[in-house]
Amino acid sequence: MESFQEHYDSMIDAITRYMPGANMELIDKAVNYANEKHKFQKRKDGSPYIIHPLSVAEIVAEMGLDTDAILGALLHDCIEDTDASHDDIAKLFSPTVAELVEGVTKLTRVEFTTHEQEQMENLRKMFMAMSKDIRVVLIKIADRLHNMRTMQYQTPAKQISKSRETMDIYAPLAHRLGMQKLKWELEDIALQYLDPAGYNELMSYLKAHEEQDKAFMNVIQGTIKDRLASVGIHNTTYGRIKHVYSIYRKMKAQNKTLEEMYDLYAFRVIVDSIPDCYNVLGHIHDLFNLVPGRFKDYISTPKPNMYQSLHTTVIGKQGIPFEVQIRTWEMHETAEYGIAAHWKYKQGGQGKGEEKDFEWVRRLLESQQDTDAEDYVNSLKIDMFDDEVFVFTPKGKIVSLPARSTPIDFAYAIHSGVGNSMVGAKVNNRIVNIDSRLSNGDIVEILTSKNSRGPSRDWLTICKSNQARTKIKQWFKKEKREENILHGRSSFEAEMKRLNLPLSSLNHPDLSPQLLQKLSFGSWDDMYAAIGYGGLTATKAVGRIRDDITRSVKTQQDPASVIPVKIVKDDPNAVKSRHAVNGVIVEDIDSCMIKFAKCCTPVPGDDIIGFITKGFGVSIHRCDCPNTSGRFDPKQSGRWVRVHWANEDSQPFETTLELECHTRDGLLLDVASTMSSSRVRVKELSGKDLPEERTIFTIRFEVKDTAELDAVRKRLLNIRDVISTRRGQN
């Protein structure tokens, strides 16, 4: 078991190496305070809880941050997990330290309806604190890194959920802050739990080729060093294998095996000045053959996260391509620790970073306004992690946008007023469509007009940046409320109809307030407006209240109304049988036209009820079909009649099943094979991909009764990656 002293000594060593001017008296005071507050708590491995804050503080010290940041790291769980308060920490240490701790603390005392909503609120709070003090997120990333390092002690479910969150949020955040070293470690650890087989295969391959790789890198490294020494350029040169997740992602993106991956090696040449960088580049291109199109100059055009370096891919005599990165020592520190290194260089370790330079933090704060929680969390992955494209204004200012951005994204990156009055665009002095994809180096000019009618709703699907999408939604929210209500109501009612949910439930005096509370709106018009301007989708809105409506319909049944009765085939008390039509007998009506409702596709064995239609005979529904809720309406109750299945053997009946599945290759073939072996006639089989790697299959087929249907459902549930089945409602 790990000991307190071991981790304390390791933290002190890191502080001595990276932050020698730290206030050790205050740090020891914080260690003792945190140790006292956490004394009754244990880590999952049984070790004292204080080891976690000590480890986080060590990571923060390695970033070269100041005393306040180290104190914040040591105390970061005190408010959340102990009886310590913000005021206590402010009095004992300082208000700044208390704000850092508060910024890192999660919203554990607030109840949320969904995981996405909880995640969004936590991120919103963290970004708010970031906008005041960037050290908040640096401590948070250090906290997540140590948690990932000790993830082996968590349950498998926790390992997967935390690893997914790390890959979706914290690794992109580290990338956006330029902290490549921490980003790589977060990704590699997360991959161990998200795809252990893939990770182990990669590690085994790299270990088996370790000696071969070392020999190759030593040859290249020696060649570069000898050339630079001969021309008097002082340098530090070393080679490395690219990190595991980088190789893994490239294999997936290019659909290649490990044996087909050649671009595994990267060499760094670190020199003393920018002119030396370009001199080294010339020598590299003289020593090795350049791979066309693989040279990038991030020194003259830095990335938004401050990353600077020259990148070139070349091929040596061995025929193996490799990347060479050329940078100064200051650039190297920034590449490893991003904003933390920037803080250290610009402020001399005094802890007053230039947060105003991080405009993207403000944009992320803006983008969460009027945005659905799940959409916001998903958009963060794009805004923080997607590759950038760099374009220019006509005056030469660089604007960075997500890859695949359009002139619409550019216009809203300049100003919301420019985007809202946009009527066209020029790229490289030529008129282009507003959905044209921008490329690196394009010069973009936005054409505006005072007579512009504003953005189109279609722009929401064209633009790629969350910033543009948010500003368009805000325009529609402000300028077009009545239009939004009409548009949103139409979309919402269409979705309700598609799912056969009664619109009358929205006006029920008891149910309506409950539904609005579930949706977090004060009125139906407010919700319709939100759907209209794009802050919420009709599918998500109906999905949130679907179960409540269905449950309410069932529980509000009136015993005095028509009571559906299931009459089994051999029931001696059954009413006098009349002539059966299509296997169904309608009480008190003989030889009437029968049709089976497509909304619920009843089969023998289901409880059923009939509805007298106008001109189409009696429509047969399952008793649990949402469309039967009308039988409790006094105006329609007279049109509902008792029906039951006939005793004689009948023809097959058509029904529908929906399968919810995890998406994988070959699943459709497995489903089709199972249906074939079940000896039922399949009329239609279709599938639709959903978010989060889910797939819905809809199968229309014929069965004799519910017993045969249940047998088919059981066989389908035995297929790998099938999650659930349910009777379809069209």
Side-chain angles (χ1 to χ4, degrees), residues 32-48:
N32 294 330
Y33 181 82
N35 196 18
E36 175 63 26
K37 290 296 180 183
H38 292 298
K39 65 182 178 181
F40 297 117
Q41 296 173 317
K42 298 285 186 184
R43 297 278 287 164
K44 290 289 185 180
D45 63 351
S47 60

Side-chain angles (χ1 to χ4, degrees), residues 396-510:
K397 179 184 175 183
I398 296 175
V399 177
S400 68
L401 298 166
R404 301 177 298 281
S405 285
T406 67
I408 299 173
D409 299 283
F410 178 87
Y412 282 100
I414 299 301
H415 192 274
S416 57
V418 175
N420 292 337
S421 59
M422 174 181 174
V423 293
K426 287 183 178 181
V427 174
N428 302 325
N429 212 31
R430 295 178 62 184
I431 297 288
V432 298
N433 293 331
I434 60 172
D435 61 352
S436 301
R437 185 174 295 181
L438 300 178
S439 301
N440 280 319
D442 283 345
I443 300 173
V444 186
E445 179 184 355
I446 301 301
L447 307 177
T448 61
S449 170
K450 292 181 180 179
N451 298 321
S452 168
R453 296 182 179 181
S456 162
R457 294 186 190 277
D458 294 337
W459 291 12
L460 290 169
T461 58
I462 295 172
C463 63
K464 300 300 178 184
S465 68
N466 196 48
Q467 178 189 15
R469 199 172 291 114
T470 298
K471 288 181 177 179
I472 294 170
K473 291 177 182 178
Q474 288 172 346
W475 185 89
F476 275 106
K477 181 181 181 182
K478 181 180 178 182
E479 304 290 337
K480 301 283 184 178
R481 178 172 171 81
E482 293 305 318
E483 180 184 321
N484 291 336
I485 291 174
L486 291 174
H487 182 78
R489 182 195 294 271
S490 175
S491 299
F492 182 82
E493 291 182 351
E495 181 66 13
M496 289 280 286
K497 185 177 180 181
R498 188 183 74 82
L499 296 174
N500 297 306
L501 298 175
L503 290 172
S504 58
S505 59
L506 306 182
N507 300 318
H508 192 284
D510 296 326

Side-chain angles (χ1 to χ4, degrees), residues 515-574:
L515 299 180
L516 285 169
Q517 185 178 11
K518 191 77 172 283
L519 291 163
S520 301
F521 287 98
S523 70
W524 290 112
D525 278 356
D526 289 344
M527 187 206 68
Y528 296 144
I531 295 174
Y533 69 73
L536 177 69
T537 65
T539 303
K540 287 180 181 176
V542 176
R544 289 176 186 173
I545 61 176
R546 178 179 180 176
D547 290 344
D548 297 70
I549 294 174
T550 304
R551 193 162 42 245
S552 175
V553 168
K554 290 181 179 179
T555 57
Q556 291 177 10
Q557 291 181 356
D558 181 3
S561 299
V562 176
I563 303 174
V565 180
K566 179 181 179 183
I567 304 176
V568 296
K569 295 178 182 178
D570 57 352
D571 186 353
N573 298 317

Side-chain angles (χ1 to χ4, degrees), residues 668-722:
L668 177 60
L669 180 61
D670 290 346
V671 172
S673 298
T674 299
M675 295 302 295
S676 176
S677 62
S678 298
R679 299 184 182 280
V680 293
R681 184 184 178 192
V682 177
K683 307 288 284 292
E684 183 181 356
L685 173 56
S686 60
K688 180 175 69 174
D689 286 338
L690 301 177
E692 299 180 356
E693 296 188 351
R694 296 292 179 96
T695 298
I696 291 288
F697 285 112
T698 302
I699 313 172
R700 188 162 56 88
F701 59 103
E702 293 179 343
V703 292
K704 292 182 179 180
D705 52 30
T706 52
E708 186 174 19
L709 175 61
D710 290 342
V712 173
R713 293 178 77 168
K714 186 175 181 181
R715 297 191 69 176
L716 290 169
L717 284 169
N718 285 331
I719 299 174
R720 178 168 63 89
D721 290 323
V722 173

Side-chain angles (χ1 to χ4, degrees), residues 346-358:
K346 300 299 182 186
Q347 300 297 330
Q350 297 305 305
K352 294 182 180 178
E354 299 177 27
E355 290 84 1
K356 68 179 184 300
D357 294 335
F358 288 82

